[in-house]
């Protein structure tokens, strides 16, 4: 220990000072609470508080600890030195956190002071998370106008949502990405018309996540202006899928009409009503007839009563997969060697007893054609494809993780679009209202 002591002179004397023991009283920290109460929402399917709630709580607790430490004289908000930290990120935004005890003390000081300064606004959860959880005032984007089947699907997925109509599918994607909407509900396949290829391409182009699905029975009606008989119609307009789903029925009705495609079913009804087209009918829902003042000439004109459209719910952040209820996972993959690897990929799921519910191939837009050297006939051209696969398993399951680990060995590109709860709602064939 002497080697660590500083050099001392001969005249230096060390005296022992008696130590006085003092009892340290624990400091009582004031509790910081939000003036806005946001109770955690729990659902029967096991979904609890949202991630945004957790982040907001962490930010409030972190700010509480900082507020109890000795601080220099406060600077004016907005200066370069006034920096707050939220979720580990520094920002110049003034959080204005105030302990609840100071709020009560300032209210009691009203008797002593005539004009007490107003207390700063308390931080609320809406400052950090503008999107609530699952259905309560959610802003949900859909393609079409009011009365569209996509609007009905949005209402089924999020019963108390604020539906936001979009004129195109891509606009609905962009609405979520730009925080104009919190969710998007878009169709991906129909039991009669097949896949909606446009949305499969957009799923790969955008970075949104599938967080759920909903299946909606579709009930088509033939609509026209009041007083118009179906024999007077020269054309019928609707969405291309709706026209395809009612093709045989229109022929059986003896309607020798031209069939023209428009953007959506409810938009067709709106177009007929807005332009007073007495020679044009529309294929849409009964709700569209009520909204736009049209009459229903024929009901249930879909070729098959078991007409169901599957919609997916999209969000900016994925949900946490679970194992306590049936889940579905959607992926997309490609390979440099073309379709020869498809068998190996499917075997990875078959060996683990994972059922596939859908497989869809789409052209590889970045490289649609692959050139292959052929010694006999020169250079051969092969089409390149992306493969979309849905399988019944949660990413929380070990078998699903092992299957994707094996798939990744055979593919040059693999992306998980989402792992989400399956729609287990029973449905019956479409009937009239």
């Amino acid at each position: 220990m002497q080697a660590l002591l500083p050099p001392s002179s001969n005249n230096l004397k060390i005296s022992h000072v008696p130590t006085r023991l003092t009892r340290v009283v624990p400091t009582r920290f004031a509790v910081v609470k939000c003036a806005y109460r946001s109770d955690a929402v729990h659902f029967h399917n096991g979904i609890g508080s949202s991630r945004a709630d957790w982040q907001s709580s962490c930010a409030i607790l972190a700010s509480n600890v900082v507020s109890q430490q000795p601080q220099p004289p406060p600077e004016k908000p907005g200066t370069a030195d006034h920096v707050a930290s939220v979720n580990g990120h520094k920002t110049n935004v003034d959080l204005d956190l105030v302990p609840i005890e100071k709020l009560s003390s300032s209210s009691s000081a009203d008797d002593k002071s005539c004009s007490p300064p107003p207390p700063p606004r308390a931080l609320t959860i809406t400052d950090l998370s503008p999107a609530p959880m699952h259905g309560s005032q959610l802003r949900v984007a859909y393609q079409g106008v009011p009365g569209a089947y996509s609007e009905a699907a949005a209402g089924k997925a999020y019963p108390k949502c604020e539906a936001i109509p979009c004129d195109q599918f891509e606009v609905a994607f962009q609405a979520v990405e730009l925080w104009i909407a919190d969710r998007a509900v878009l169709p991906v396949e129909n039991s009669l018309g097949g896949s909606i290829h446009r949305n499969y391409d957009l799923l790969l182009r955008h970075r949104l996540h599938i967080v759920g699905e909903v299946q909606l029975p579709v009930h088509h009606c033939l609509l026209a202006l009041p007083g118009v008989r179906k024999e007077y119609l020269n054309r019928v307009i609707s969405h291309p899928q709706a026209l395809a789903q009612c093709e045989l029925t229109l022929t059986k009705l003896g309607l020798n009409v031209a069939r023209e495609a428009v953007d959506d079913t409810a938009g067709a009804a709106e177009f007929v009503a807005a332009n007073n087209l007495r020679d044009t009918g529309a294929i849409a829902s009964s709700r569209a007839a009520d909204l736009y003042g049209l009459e229903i000439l024929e009901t249930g004109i879909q070729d098959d009563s078991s007409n169901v459209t599957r919609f997916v719910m999209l969000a900016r952040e994925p949900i946490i997969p679970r194992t306590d209820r049936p889940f579905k996972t959607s992926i997309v993959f490609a390979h440099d060697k073309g379709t020869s690897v498809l068998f190996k990929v499917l075997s990875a799921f078959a060996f683990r007893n994972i059922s596939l519910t859908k497989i869809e191939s789409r052209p590889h837009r970045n490289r649609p054609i692959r050139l292959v050297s052929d010694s006999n006939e020169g250079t051969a051209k092969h089409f390149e494809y992306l493969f979309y696969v849905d399988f019944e398993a949660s990413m929380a399951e070990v078998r699903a993780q092992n299957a994707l680990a094996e798939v990744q060995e055979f593919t040059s590109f693999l992306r998980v679009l989402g792992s989400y709860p399956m729609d287990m709602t029973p449905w019956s064939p479409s009937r009239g209202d």
Side-chain angles (χ1 to χ4, degrees):
M1 297 296 293
Q2 283 183 340
L4 300 178
L5 294 176
S8 59
S9 63
N10 295 332
N11 298 328
L12 178 65
K13 295 182 180 180
I14 301 176
S15 60
H16 296 279
V17 179
T19 304
R20 180 181 179 183
L21 299 179
T22 304
R23 182 182 177 184
V24 179
V25 180
T27 304
R28 182 180 178 184
F29 292 96
V31 180
V32 177
K33 298 182 180 180
C34 290
Y36 175 85
R37 179 181 178 184
S38 176
D39 297 332
V41 181
H42 296 276
F43 297 86
H44 65 277
N45 56 9
I47 300 176
S49 300
S50 66
R51 178 180 177 183
D53 294 344
W54 174 80
Q55 291 177 339
S56 302
S57 300
C58 290
I60 295 172
L61 292 177
S63 302
N64 182 18
V65 175
V66 173
S67 64
Q68 306 304 322
Q69 299 177 356
Q71 300 292 338
E75 299 290 337
K76 294 183 179 181
T79 60
D81 297 333
H82 186 81
V83 178
S85 179
V86 179
N87 295 340
H89 302 282
K90 291 185 176 181
T91 176
N92 288 329
V93 178
D94 188 12
L95 294 180
D96 289 339
L97 289 175
V98 178
I100 199 69
E101 293 180 355
K102 292 184 179 180
L103 290 177
S104 59
S105 61
S106 62
S107 62
S108 61
D110 292 342
D111 299 336
K112 301 179 181 180
S113 177
C114 297
S115 59
R121 181 181 61 87
L123 179 69
T124 67
I125 192 172
T126 56
D127 294 327
L128 299 178
S129 175
M133 187 68 177
H134 279 280
S136 177
Q137 298 300 316
L138 277 176
R139 299 161 295 178
V140 180
Y142 69 94
Q143 188 273 330
V145 298
Y149 294 106
S150 295
E151 183 193 34
K156 181 179 180 181
Y158 303 101
K160 296 182 180 180
C161 70
E162 176 188 354
I164 302 177
C166 304
D167 59 350
Q168 299 177 20
F169 289 128
E170 189 164 11
V171 175
F173 277 85
Q174 295 173 351
V176 179
E177 291 177 332
L178 299 177
W179 292 78
I180 300 174
D182 306 309
R183 301 287 190 274
V185 176
L186 299 173
V188 290
E189 61 179 328
N190 178 264
S191 57
L192 299 182
S195 300
I196 291 90
H197 296 139
R198 175 62 175 165
N199 284 335
Y200 275 98
D201 296 338
L202 292 174
L203 282 172
L204 185 62
R205 183 179 304 176
H206 297 267
R207 301 299 299 179
L208 299 182
H209 303 269
I210 303 177
V211 297
E213 67 172 1
V214 60
Q215 297 182 4
L216 182 73
V218 176
H219 182 81
H220 290 308
C221 301
L222 180 60
L223 311 180
L225 290 174
V228 174
R229 299 171 57 181
K230 61 184 178 181
E231 292 82 6
Y232 299 156
L233 299 179
N234 295 327
R235 64 172 178 168
V236 173
I237 61 175
S238 189
H239 188 272
Q241 285 277 343
L243 292 174
Q245 295 165 14
C246 303
E247 182 177 2
L248 297 179
T249 304
L250 291 177
T251 303
K252 292 179 181 179
L253 292 175
L255 299 179
N256 186 18
V257 294
R259 300 161 191 181
E260 298 180 9
V262 295
D263 290 337
D264 62 277
T265 56
E270 182 186 34
F271 182 78
V272 171
N275 295 276
N276 196 28
L277 302 177
R278 304 192 66 83
D279 63 340
T280 304
I283 297 177
S285 64
S286 58
R287 182 171 184 269
D290 297 335
L291 289 177
Y292 303 111
L294 300 181
E295 287 187 355
I296 300 177
L297 303 182
E298 294 288 341
T299 182
I301 62 174
Q302 60 274 3
D303 295 338
D304 192 337
S305 59
S306 301
N307 184 13
V308 179
T309 299
R310 175 174 170 253
F311 295 80
V312 293
M313 296 119 74
L314 305 176
R316 289 177 293 271
E317 297 291 338
I319 63 173
I320 300 177
R322 305 177 65 92
T323 58
D324 56 352
R325 61 171 298 178
F327 260 66
K328 182 183 293 185
T329 302
S330 299
I331 64 173
V332 57
F333 63 88
H335 196 269
D336 294 335
K337 297 182 179 180
T339 59
S340 60
V341 75
L342 184 58
F343 173 76
K344 297 179 181 179
V345 172
L346 298 181
S347 299
F349 297 101
F351 291 157
R352 294 169 177 84
N353 197 27
I354 298 178
S355 300
L356 303 184
T357 59
K358 183 176 179 61
I359 180 169
E360 179 82 18
S361 62
R362 295 292 298 152
H364 199 314
R365 291 185 176 271
N366 295 332
R367 191 176 59 183
I369 296 179
R370 178 170 55 95
L371 301 180
V372 181
S373 178
D374 193 332
S375 58
N376 296 327
E377 301 180 2
T379 302
K381 296 181 179 180
H382 294 262
F383 293 117
E384 285 290 321
Y385 290 96
L386 293 165
F387 293 94
Y388 295 82
V389 172
D390 295 344
F391 59 88
E392 294 181 349
S394 170
M395 284 304 299
E397 300 181 47
V398 177
R399 59 172 185 160
Q401 299 172 8
N402 293 337
L404 290 190
E406 183 176 345
V407 169
Q408 194 170 14
E409 297 178 0
F410 303 131
T411 58
S412 59
F413 168 75
L414 173 64
R415 176 181 163 189
V416 177
L417 299 174
S419 187
Y420 47 92
M422 296 176 58
D423 183 9
M424 306 299 293
T425 304
W427 59 274
S428 57
S430 300
R431 298 184 177 91
D433 294 338

